[in-house]
Amino acid sequence: FLSVSLLTSMHNLRENPNHLRYDAWCGVAHGCTRKLGMKICGFLQKNNNLEEKITSFKERSSKDLLDNSDRDSRFRRTETDFSNLFARDLLPAKNGEEPTMQFLLEVVDILTNYVRKTFDRSTKVLDFHHPHQLLEGMEGFNLELSDQPESLEQILVDCRDTLKYGVRTGHPRFFNQLSTGLDIIGLAGEWLTSTANTNMFTYEIAPVFVLMEQLTLKKMREIIGWPDGEGDGIFSPGGAISNMYSVMTARYKFFPEVKTKGMTAAPRLVLFTSEHSHYSIKKASAALGFGTENLILLSTDERGRVIPADLEAKVIDAKARGCVPMFVNATAGSTVYGAFDPIHEIADICEKYNMWLHVDGAWGGGLLMSRKHRHKLSGVERANSVTWNPHKMMGVPLQCSAILVRERGVLSGCNSMCAGYLFQPDKQYDVSYDTGDKAIQCGRHVDIFKFWLMWKAKVCAHISPNNCLIFILYLCCLDLSHYLYTKIRDREGYQMVFEGEPQHTNVCFWYLPPGIRDMPDGQERRDRLHKVAPKIKALMMESGTTMVGYQPQGDKVNFFRMVISNPAATRSDIDFLTDEIERLGHDL
Amino acid sequence: FLSVSLLTSMHNLRENPNHLRYDAWCGVAHGCTRKLGMKICGFLQKNNNLEEKITSFKERSSKDLLDNSDRDSRFRRTETDFSNLFARDLLPAKNGEEPTMQFLLEVVDILTNYVRKTFDRSTKVLDFHHPHQLLEGMEGFNLELSDQPESLEQILVDCRDTLKYGVRTGHPRFFNQLSTGLDIIGLAGEWLTSTANTNMFTYEIAPVFVLMEQLTLKKMREIIGWPDGEGDGIFSPGGAISNMYSVMTARYKFFPEVKTKGMTAAPRLVLFTSEHSHYSIKKASAALGFGTENLILLSTDERGRVIPADLEAKVIDAKARGCVPMFVNATAGSTVYGAFDPIHEIADICEKYNMWLHVDGAWGGGLLMSRKHRHKLSGVERANSVTWNPHKMMGVPLQCSAILVRERGVLSGCNSMCAGYLFQPDKQYDVSYDTGDKAIQCGRHVDIFKFWLMWKAKVCAHISPNNCLIFILYLCCLDLSHYLYTKIRDREGYQMVFEGEPQHTNVCFWYLPPGIRDMPDGQERRDRLHKVAPKIKALMMESGTTMVGYQPQGDKVNFFRMVISNPAATRSDIDFLTDEIERLGHDL
């Protein structure tokens, strides 16, 4: 259902720099719009010595605050002597307002410096140390919990050290996880969330956030394609919990008596998922009392996509063994290959055998926001439930994961316990807005605000009959992974793990050092190749230049899984990565 | 095992203002150390017009940053015109550094203003609106997700409005939840956590946080009293999930085959918990496949504490019915009454019948840090697992909850799936520091840093043979609840829900408007009384002056549950609350 005119207009956007919307985003990633960047930000260019100014900003701000005309650079230590201030001097202490503001601004200075450095390619991604080294104390950084309160000066030093010895997950050369990047709007949203410090479980203490969650979940359901965005859902602490919700909800739909009588009230239930799927489905089957042996793994094609015929055969087999097939998980964006299971064909089988269809779009759900790529989730509108993690492809700070359920009532039916002492029915407002009783949690962190704010700041919607939207930024990541794929697929020393263009930004490959390239296929070559990726990864971490993940999969020895979810990454970073792999791996 | 000399020295600390440690904290709560406060913060007092200065701080900072000598107050709008800036102009955009810094500092300005107002009693706790009012849009505050990117100016307005229509959970007169307050050190910790934006699941991407978690969990186990702090544990997204972990872990310990074969491989298992316990135990019994009917509720005494003889009788009865008693939850600090179940007596029964003892100290666990109050959890060292939420009594920002397990190995045995593609065994560092596989989550938010930082900044440890520690701040909350209790227990118009001094800061009471006081006991009086608390609460919320919870419990009609966990609260706030209840409830 991709609209040709839209694709054409996307093309035009690329060609015509006056169409800022697409290029302004992607110019960053493609390094092709220096001119454009100058044009956009021209009004800022008068400030040439920016870095220097920002570096001295905090000092001067402090001076101004205290109305002190002395411009001596040691001012802060003299006038706001944090070494003599303690937590007890902060609000709510009497006269605590000034030290509180001074302290928070000092913290912000540390954090904004960290933000700047995160985007600076001349900084390292990490400064690696082994656990025993950090535990012994690095240059006075003492992780042990103290017996006496430390001064605010020491607390500030602890903050700096914590960041110093951590990993810059927003660095343009950090490719290690599905969730990378440091989104400034999301960061602002998270700072605000921390400051508001409330709890999602009732409207009365989180009125704005509860409504934001409701509106955002509805929009997500519309994008999935459920009629009028009807249904239910909730933000949970991560994709694994969201997937657990899907299994629980399915069980409640088919066997509601399990809620009161336990699993022994149901027949022997079986679940199905791809052998490439995320391990959370297996964790859920263990935790919820199904047992991992009753989770049946489905075979995949060479690209890691479920083979529908294998599902049907295994359903028939399970029924023949007296089991009741109840639940199928289709993965939209697998962890390693980035594969999308064929949802329509799986949905057909689910309908035929009356099984719940869950789509785990934790990683791939973000593509629903792209006209160009959402066809990979074609059929998702037939799912009974969907997991979608904006903290992955959409760059929302961790944690931000939604479980969406098509049928209204089943999620709350499954989880509600009607605890009158927590959820009073006789409040003055419409208590259907109290979300606590449909969660398995009681207190629930506010995960919605950063996402809502990013949506407000970024989403370009082009309403169509299919309600597609474009979250433009992340198209760049897909373009970059295409660049990497075309660069290395025929390059000497590289071997792709599977043939053909990757479906998501996952690019899986072996790097073969020269000493291995001509070895005959066999166990010895496999053994040596298996050790290459771990060795290169260890060297990368020790040099601190970049990070990328590796793993074995099935009978395939360790390979790199490159994954791109950070809009700060550019082609130069991809080139840097391959250069680094070759530099570190050449002599292995 | 309370040490007399310690109590004496606590008394001395109160009497002698040179002993700052106790008084500096509690002076805030007791309003008795104005002189002391002046003394502590004397060096700050030269800055008289602080508020005014801070208000204009951001404007002037912006001017300095841009090196602009024009001191016109409209500077910000002229020079940093956020109305022409969009998310695409922020980092990683070229020339994005300046707008990024400007934007973040503007956000911080909004947040620090909010922090100041939170502690200002002249501000309202909330500005209540019904859901339909907020959804219709308040003075231009549009919650609907937009179709086009909004300017940064609008994003900043959205941030201000979000806070404006929210609830100040850190306000000294917000008493609505078990988790209240706005801890400045915790806030700084949370801002840093957001900026670091990483994931707890492997050491390689969260080395510092993983070690902080390990050290903090060990310290918590030492405080519980387990030998050498041995055992295991993990921070989870809240007390309900922590309690769910305890049930899962217990089941794995006794019936490990359930993990692979499901609940049908076990006999009919039963769980026990107080009728006053948190509903999360019931949610866990439903979710994990036990069934809520196999959760047996224990009778309590008039103070809400489990009657051990009732437990033993019900264990015997369950066995007679062919069930296998497996798990007992003892609550340390119940949600409504703040009751502590008698752990030693319950532990005796658990040992006798070979059952897992879990202590849900989500609310009461914080008292383990107090020499004076930790006796209420006496016997906790005999538990097999403990839930302890620093985000409740210890004032850590939400979410911060720990599940602690006495026996090492059982938590990871229960949850590990050995997903080689996520947790590679061939890394260069000691992979026992990769915590992901013992969690039911995969990605896991960093909840430890704020707590670690608060501990560093605040904990006073007086090592004794019992390893007791004093987290001094929260003694004030207990003192305040004692003040409230003594104030209202004999006051006309009040009736206590149970006799005697509350065990925690929960004070449960009915307010009887004059028109009800002389009514004969009976259904009509009950019906009228049942409506009083909801009406007063609604009026409170509409006037925005304070918030306190109410609920029915068993056959008791709606009563107020006052709870104090905010060290910013003082006696004057307690007086304000009772005055407000009387003002609003007098004519009901």
Side-chain angles (χ1 to χ4, degrees), chain A residues 436-477:
Chain A
D437 209 18
K438 74 180 172 193
I440 53 170
Q441 299 184 262
C442 178
R444 187 161 60 95
H445 187 259
V446 176
D447 297 332
I448 185 60
F449 180 67
K450 55 196 168 192
F451 183 33
W452 179 90
L453 201 66
M454 286 173 69
W455 194 305
K456 282 263 188 185
K458 297 189 172 196
V459 166
C460 299
H462 302 272
I463 300 301
S464 81
N466 294 312
N467 272 319
C468 299
L469 288 102
I470 299 177
F471 205 49
I472 282 178
L473 196 53
Y474 292 92
L475 297 180
C476 317
C477 296

Short mmCIF file of all heavy atoms in Angstrom, two decimals, chain A residues 436-477:
data_model
loop_
_atom_site.label_atom_id
_atom_site.label_comp_id
_atom_site.label_asym_id
_atom_site.label_seq_id
_atom_site.Cartn_x
_atom_site.Cartn_y
_atom_site.Cartn_z
N GLY A 436 -3.93 1.47 37.53
CA GLY A 436 -3.11 0.56 38.33
C GLY A 436 -3.58 -0.88 38.31
O GLY A 436 -2.76 -1.80 38.30
N ASP A 437 -4.89 -1.09 38.27
CA ASP A 437 -5.35 -2.46 38.49
C ASP A 437 -5.23 -3.33 37.24
O ASP A 437 -5.40 -4.54 37.32
CB ASP A 437 -6.80 -2.44 39.00
CG ASP A 437 -7.10 -3.64 39.89
OD1 ASP A 437 -6.14 -4.27 40.39
OD2 ASP A 437 -8.28 -3.95 40.08
N LYS A 438 -4.94 -2.72 36.10
CA LYS A 438 -4.73 -3.59 34.94
C LYS A 438 -3.26 -3.96 34.76
O LYS A 438 -2.92 -4.72 33.85
CB LYS A 438 -5.32 -2.96 33.67
CG LYS A 438 -4.58 -1.80 33.08
CD LYS A 438 -5.31 -1.33 31.82
CE LYS A 438 -4.70 -0.04 31.31
NZ LYS A 438 -5.52 0.63 30.30
N ALA A 439 -2.40 -3.43 35.61
CA ALA A 439 -0.98 -3.75 35.55
C ALA A 439 -0.64 -4.89 36.51
O ALA A 439 -1.37 -5.12 37.47
CB ALA A 439 -0.16 -2.52 35.91
N ILE A 440 0.46 -5.58 36.24
CA ILE A 440 0.94 -6.52 37.27
C ILE A 440 1.77 -5.76 38.29
O ILE A 440 2.08 -6.28 39.35
CB ILE A 440 1.76 -7.69 36.69
CG1 ILE A 440 2.90 -7.20 35.81
CG2 ILE A 440 0.86 -8.66 35.94
CD1 ILE A 440 3.89 -8.29 35.41
N GLN A 441 2.12 -4.53 37.97
CA GLN A 441 2.83 -3.69 38.93
C GLN A 441 1.82 -2.96 39.80
O GLN A 441 0.63 -2.93 39.49
CB GLN A 441 3.65 -2.65 38.18
CG GLN A 441 4.68 -3.23 37.27
CD GLN A 441 5.53 -2.15 36.63
OE1 GLN A 441 5.30 -1.75 35.51
NE2 GLN A 441 6.50 -1.66 37.36
N CYS A 442 2.30 -2.35 40.88
CA CYS A 442 1.46 -1.44 41.63
C CYS A 442 2.01 -0.06 41.31
O CYS A 442 1.56 0.59 40.38
CB CYS A 442 1.50 -1.77 43.12
SG CYS A 442 0.51 -0.64 44.12
N GLY A 443 3.05 0.38 42.01
CA GLY A 443 3.74 1.60 41.59
C GLY A 443 4.27 1.39 40.18
O GLY A 443 4.74 0.30 39.84
N ARG A 444 4.17 2.42 39.35
CA ARG A 444 4.66 2.26 37.98
C ARG A 444 5.31 3.58 37.56
O ARG A 444 4.71 4.64 37.65
CB ARG A 444 3.49 1.90 37.04
CG ARG A 444 3.92 1.55 35.64
CD ARG A 444 2.82 0.76 34.89
NE ARG A 444 1.58 1.49 34.76
CZ ARG A 444 1.24 2.23 33.69
NH1 ARG A 444 2.06 2.31 32.67
NH2 ARG A 444 0.09 2.86 33.66
N HIS A 445 6.54 3.46 37.09
CA HIS A 445 7.33 4.62 36.69
C HIS A 445 6.67 5.31 35.50
O HIS A 445 6.04 4.68 34.67
CB HIS A 445 8.74 4.14 36.30
CG HIS A 445 9.71 5.24 36.03
ND1 HIS A 445 10.05 5.63 34.76
CD2 HIS A 445 10.42 6.03 36.87
CE1 HIS A 445 10.93 6.62 34.83
NE2 HIS A 445 11.17 6.88 36.09
N VAL A 446 6.84 6.62 35.42
CA VAL A 446 6.30 7.39 34.30
C VAL A 446 7.25 7.24 33.11
O VAL A 446 8.32 7.85 33.08
CB VAL A 446 6.15 8.88 34.68
CG1 VAL A 446 5.68 9.69 33.48
CG2 VAL A 446 5.21 9.04 35.86
N ASP A 447 6.88 6.39 32.18
CA ASP A 447 7.71 6.18 30.99
C ASP A 447 7.17 6.93 29.78
O ASP A 447 7.79 6.95 28.73
CB ASP A 447 7.76 4.68 30.64
CG ASP A 447 8.41 3.86 31.74
OD1 ASP A 447 9.25 4.41 32.48
OD2 ASP A 447 8.07 2.67 31.86
N ILE A 448 6.01 7.55 29.94
CA ILE A 448 5.34 8.11 28.77
C ILE A 448 5.84 9.49 28.39
O ILE A 448 5.90 9.83 27.21
CB ILE A 448 3.81 8.15 28.99
CG1 ILE A 448 3.09 8.61 27.72
CG2 ILE A 448 3.41 9.03 30.16
CD1 ILE A 448 3.31 7.76 26.53
N PHE A 449 6.22 10.31 29.36
CA PHE A 449 6.38 11.73 29.05
C PHE A 449 7.47 11.98 28.00
O PHE A 449 7.27 12.73 27.04
CB PHE A 449 6.66 12.55 30.31
CG PHE A 449 6.84 14.01 30.00
CD1 PHE A 449 5.77 14.76 29.54
CD2 PHE A 449 8.07 14.64 30.11
CE1 PHE A 449 5.92 16.10 29.20
CE2 PHE A 449 8.23 15.97 29.78
CZ PHE A 449 7.16 16.71 29.32
N LYS A 450 8.62 11.34 28.16
CA LYS A 450 9.71 11.56 27.20
C LYS A 450 9.28 11.19 25.79
O LYS A 450 9.66 11.85 24.82
CB LYS A 450 10.94 10.75 27.62
CG LYS A 450 10.65 9.27 27.80
CD LYS A 450 11.73 8.55 28.58
CE LYS A 450 11.20 7.17 28.98
NZ LYS A 450 12.06 6.51 29.96
N PHE A 451 8.49 10.15 25.69
CA PHE A 451 8.03 9.68 24.38
C PHE A 451 7.02 10.67 23.80
O PHE A 451 7.09 11.05 22.63
CB PHE A 451 7.43 8.28 24.52
CG PHE A 451 6.98 7.64 23.24
CD1 PHE A 451 7.63 7.86 22.04
CD2 PHE A 451 5.89 6.78 23.24
CE1 PHE A 451 7.20 7.25 20.86
CE2 PHE A 451 5.46 6.15 22.07
CZ PHE A 451 6.11 6.40 20.88
N TRP A 452 6.10 11.08 24.63
CA TRP A 452 5.09 12.06 24.20
C TRP A 452 5.79 13.33 23.71
O TRP A 452 5.46 13.87 22.66
CB TRP A 452 4.16 12.34 25.38
CG TRP A 452 3.07 13.34 25.12
CD1 TRP A 452 1.81 13.09 24.65
CD2 TRP A 452 3.13 14.76 25.34
NE1 TRP A 452 1.09 14.25 24.56
CE2 TRP A 452 1.88 15.30 24.98
CE3 TRP A 452 4.13 15.63 25.81
CZ2 TRP A 452 1.58 16.66 25.07
CZ3 TRP A 452 3.83 16.99 25.90
CH2 TRP A 452 2.58 17.48 25.54
N LEU A 453 6.78 13.77 24.46
CA LEU A 453 7.48 15.01 24.12
C LEU A 453 8.25 14.85 22.81
O LEU A 453 8.26 15.75 21.97
CB LEU A 453 8.42 15.40 25.26
CG LEU A 453 8.86 16.86 25.33
CD1 LEU A 453 7.69 17.77 25.64
CD2 LEU A 453 9.97 17.04 26.37
N MET A 454 8.89 13.70 22.64
CA MET A 454 9.63 13.45 21.39
C MET A 454 8.67 13.42 20.21
O MET A 454 8.98 13.88 19.12
CB MET A 454 10.41 12.14 21.48
CG MET A 454 11.65 12.25 22.36
SD MET A 454 12.46 10.64 22.63
CE MET A 454 13.10 10.29 20.99
N TRP A 455 7.52 12.83 20.45
CA TRP A 455 6.51 12.76 19.38
C TRP A 455 6.10 14.18 18.97
O TRP A 455 6.08 14.54 17.79
CB TRP A 455 5.29 11.96 19.85
CG TRP A 455 4.35 11.56 18.78
CD1 TRP A 455 3.71 12.35 17.87
CD2 TRP A 455 3.91 10.23 18.50
NE1 TRP A 455 2.90 11.61 17.06
CE2 TRP A 455 3.00 10.30 17.42
CE3 TRP A 455 4.19 8.99 19.07
CZ2 TRP A 455 2.37 9.17 16.89
CZ3 TRP A 455 3.56 7.87 18.55
CH2 TRP A 455 2.68 7.96 17.47
N LYS A 456 5.81 14.99 19.97
CA LYS A 456 5.43 16.38 19.71
C LYS A 456 6.53 17.10 18.94
O LYS A 456 6.25 17.93 18.07
CB LYS A 456 5.21 17.11 21.04
CG LYS A 456 3.89 16.80 21.70
CD LYS A 456 2.87 17.89 21.38
CE LYS A 456 1.60 17.71 22.17
NZ LYS A 456 0.56 18.66 21.79
N ALA A 457 7.77 16.79 19.29
CA ALA A 457 8.89 17.55 18.72
C ALA A 457 9.31 17.04 17.35
O ALA A 457 9.99 17.75 16.62
CB ALA A 457 10.09 17.50 19.67
N LYS A 458 8.91 15.82 17.00
CA LYS A 458 9.55 15.19 15.84
C LYS A 458 8.66 14.57 14.81
O LYS A 458 9.07 14.42 13.65
CB LYS A 458 10.47 14.07 16.34
CG LYS A 458 11.58 14.58 17.19
CD LYS A 458 12.56 13.48 17.46
CE LYS A 458 13.77 14.04 18.15
NZ LYS A 458 14.89 13.12 18.12
N VAL A 459 7.51 14.10 15.22
CA VAL A 459 6.77 13.28 14.26
C VAL A 459 6.18 14.14 13.15
O VAL A 459 5.55 15.17 13.39
CB VAL A 459 5.65 12.50 14.96
CG1 VAL A 459 4.67 11.92 13.94
CG2 VAL A 459 6.26 11.37 15.77
N CYS A 460 6.43 13.70 11.93
CA CYS A 460 5.77 14.29 10.77
C CYS A 460 4.72 13.29 10.30
O CYS A 460 5.06 12.20 9.87
CB CYS A 460 6.73 14.50 9.62
SG CYS A 460 8.07 15.58 10.04
N ALA A 461 3.49 13.69 10.38
CA ALA A 461 2.45 12.75 9.96
C ALA A 461 1.90 13.19 8.62
O ALA A 461 1.67 14.36 8.38
CB ALA A 461 1.33 12.75 10.98
N HIS A 462 1.76 12.24 7.76
CA HIS A 462 1.10 12.50 6.49
C HIS A 462 -0.07 11.55 6.47
O HIS A 462 0.06 10.40 6.09
CB HIS A 462 2.04 12.25 5.32
CG HIS A 462 3.26 13.09 5.38
ND1 HIS A 462 3.32 14.34 4.84
CD2 HIS A 462 4.45 12.87 5.97
CE1 HIS A 462 4.52 14.86 5.08
NE2 HIS A 462 5.22 13.99 5.76
N ILE A 463 -1.17 12.05 6.93
CA ILE A 463 -2.31 11.16 7.12
C ILE A 463 -2.75 10.58 5.79
O ILE A 463 -2.91 11.27 4.80
CB ILE A 463 -3.48 11.92 7.77
CG1 ILE A 463 -3.06 12.46 9.13
CG2 ILE A 463 -4.69 11.01 7.93
CD1 ILE A 463 -2.59 11.45 10.13
N SER A 464 -2.90 9.31 5.78
CA SER A 464 -3.32 8.58 4.59
C SER A 464 -4.42 7.64 5.04
O SER A 464 -4.71 7.54 6.23
CB SER A 464 -2.15 7.77 4.05
OG SER A 464 -2.03 6.57 4.78
N PRO A 465 -5.03 6.97 4.06
CA PRO A 465 -6.06 6.01 4.48
C PRO A 465 -5.51 4.96 5.44
O PRO A 465 -6.23 4.38 6.22
CB PRO A 465 -6.50 5.37 3.16
CG PRO A 465 -6.15 6.38 2.12
CD PRO A 465 -4.93 7.08 2.61
N ASN A 466 -4.22 4.75 5.39
CA ASN A 466 -3.64 3.74 6.28
C ASN A 466 -3.08 4.33 7.56
O ASN A 466 -2.44 3.64 8.33
CB ASN A 466 -2.53 2.98 5.55
CG ASN A 466 -3.09 2.17 4.42
OD1 ASN A 466 -4.07 1.46 4.58
ND2 ASN A 466 -2.49 2.33 3.25
N ASN A 467 -3.29 5.63 7.74
CA ASN A 467 -2.78 6.26 8.95
C ASN A 467 -1.29 6.09 9.15
O ASN A 467 -0.82 5.86 10.25
CB ASN A 467 -3.48 5.70 10.18
CG ASN A 467 -4.74 6.47 10.48
OD1 ASN A 467 -4.76 7.69 10.39
ND2 ASN A 467 -5.79 5.74 10.80
N CYS A 468 -0.54 6.11 8.07
CA CYS A 468 0.91 5.95 8.23
C CYS A 468 1.52 7.26 8.72
O CYS A 468 1.00 8.34 8.47
CB CYS A 468 1.56 5.59 6.90
SG CYS A 468 0.95 4.06 6.25
N LEU A 469 2.60 7.13 9.41
CA LEU A 469 3.32 8.29 9.87
C LEU A 469 4.79 8.11 9.57
O LEU A 469 5.27 7.00 9.38
CB LEU A 469 3.14 8.46 11.38
CG LEU A 469 1.76 8.94 11.78
CD1 LEU A 469 0.96 7.78 12.29
CD2 LEU A 469 1.86 10.03 12.80
N ILE A 470 5.48 9.17 9.57
CA ILE A 470 6.91 9.09 9.30
C ILE A 470 7.67 9.68 10.48
O ILE A 470 7.50 10.85 10.82
CB ILE A 470 7.26 9.86 8.02
CG1 ILE A 470 6.51 9.22 6.84
CG2 ILE A 470 8.76 9.80 7.77
CD1 ILE A 470 6.74 9.94 5.54
N PHE A 471 8.46 8.90 11.10
CA PHE A 471 9.34 9.35 12.17
C PHE A 471 10.70 9.46 11.48
O PHE A 471 11.49 8.54 11.48
CB PHE A 471 9.35 8.28 13.26
CG PHE A 471 9.69 8.78 14.62
CD1 PHE A 471 9.09 9.90 15.16
CD2 PHE A 471 10.62 8.11 15.40
CE1 PHE A 471 9.39 10.33 16.43
CE2 PHE A 471 10.93 8.54 16.67
CZ PHE A 471 10.31 9.66 17.19
N ILE A 472 10.91 10.59 10.84
CA ILE A 472 11.89 10.67 9.77
C ILE A 472 13.30 10.25 10.17
O ILE A 472 14.01 9.59 9.44
CB ILE A 472 11.90 12.10 9.20
CG1 ILE A 472 10.69 12.25 8.28
CG2 ILE A 472 13.16 12.38 8.43
CD1 ILE A 472 10.54 13.62 7.68
N LEU A 473 13.65 10.62 11.36
CA LEU A 473 15.01 10.43 11.81
C LEU A 473 15.57 9.04 11.53
O LEU A 473 16.72 8.87 11.14
CB LEU A 473 15.02 10.68 13.31
CG LEU A 473 16.35 10.91 13.96
CD1 LEU A 473 17.10 12.00 13.27
CD2 LEU A 473 16.11 11.30 15.41
N TYR A 474 14.75 8.04 11.75
CA TYR A 474 15.29 6.70 11.77
C TYR A 474 15.42 6.06 10.40
O TYR A 474 16.02 4.99 10.26
CB TYR A 474 14.53 5.84 12.78
CG TYR A 474 14.86 6.37 14.13
CD1 TYR A 474 14.08 7.35 14.73
CD2 TYR A 474 16.04 6.01 14.74
CE1 TYR A 474 14.45 7.91 15.93
CE2 TYR A 474 16.41 6.57 15.94
CZ TYR A 474 15.61 7.52 16.53
OH TYR A 474 16.01 8.08 17.71
N LEU A 475 14.89 6.75 9.41
CA LEU A 475 15.16 6.27 8.06
C LEU A 475 16.66 6.32 7.80
O LEU A 475 17.21 5.50 7.06
CB LEU A 475 14.42 7.15 7.04
CG LEU A 475 12.90 7.11 7.16
CD1 LEU A 475 12.28 8.00 6.11
CD2 LEU A 475 12.40 5.68 7.02
N CYS A 476 17.31 7.28 8.40
CA CYS A 476 18.76 7.41 8.21
C CYS A 476 19.48 6.16 8.68
O CYS A 476 20.45 5.72 8.06
CB CYS A 476 19.28 8.61 8.98
SG CYS A 476 18.25 10.06 8.84
N CYS A 477 19.04 5.59 9.77
CA CYS A 477 19.69 4.38 10.29
C CYS A 477 19.55 3.25 9.29
O CYS A 477 20.50 2.47 9.08
CB CYS A 477 19.08 3.98 11.63
SG CYS A 477 19.33 5.20 12.92
#
